């Protein structure tokens, strides 16, 4: 997965602890067909990172595999 490059190059973040839900959504928007798979992998990573105190919160928690832009609540 290209997350570290994405965070530094596209989002200007130098530390995983600075990652927020908007960064995760932006990464997921880059490949809509892979959204579910990427969300699962990101969730696993952030659970690991929280257990090791690399990050304080999981920015992927609460996100769904369904595209937010396509959901009826967002229209």
């Amino acid at each position: 997965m290209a997350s570290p490059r994405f965070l530094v190059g596209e989002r200007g973040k130098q530390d995983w602890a600075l990652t927020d839900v908007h960064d995760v959504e932006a990464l997921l928007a880059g490949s809509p067909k892979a959204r579910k798979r990427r969300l699962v992998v990101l969730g696993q990573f952030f659970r690991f990172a929280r257990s090791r105190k690399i990050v304080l919160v999981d920015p992927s928690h609460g996100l769904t595999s369904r595209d937010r832009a396509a959901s009826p609540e967002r229209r």
Side-chain angles (χ1 to χ4, degrees), residues 30-48:
S31 184
K33 290 184 179 185
R35 181 180 175 89
K36 185 175 183 176
R37 183 181 72 243
R38 283 187 170 189
L39 191 55
V40 168
V41 172
L42 286 168
Q44 291 171 342
F45 169 75
F46 281 110
R47 278 191 299 279
F48 167 81

Side-chain angles (χ1 to χ4, degrees), residues 4 6-16 18-20 23:
F6 177 80
L7 283 175
V8 173
E10 299 289 323
R11 306 297 283 185
K13 307 245 173 141
Q14 300 292 324
D15 189 347
W16 282 107
L18 300 175
T19 305
D20 62 21
D23 299 320

Side-chain angles (χ1 to χ4, degrees), residues 10-74:
E10 299 289 323
R11 306 297 283 185
K13 307 245 173 141
Q14 300 292 324
D15 189 347
W16 282 107
L18 300 175
T19 305
D20 62 21
V21 69
H22 303 291
D23 299 320
V24 174
E25 281 289 355
L27 176 66
L28 295 174
S31 184
K33 290 184 179 185
R35 181 180 175 89
K36 185 175 183 176
R37 183 181 72 243
R38 283 187 170 189
L39 191 55
V40 168
V41 172
L42 286 168
Q44 291 171 342
F45 169 75
F46 281 110
R47 278 191 299 279
F48 167 81
R50 281 194 67 205
S51 73
R52 300 291 193 261
K53 299 191 182 346
I54 297 168
V55 298
L56 296 176
V57 296
D58 175 357
S60 69
H61 183 74
L63 295 178
T64 63
S65 60
R66 196 165 166 210
D67 186 5
R68 291 181 78 186
S71 67
E73 304 85 37
R74 303 280 294 177

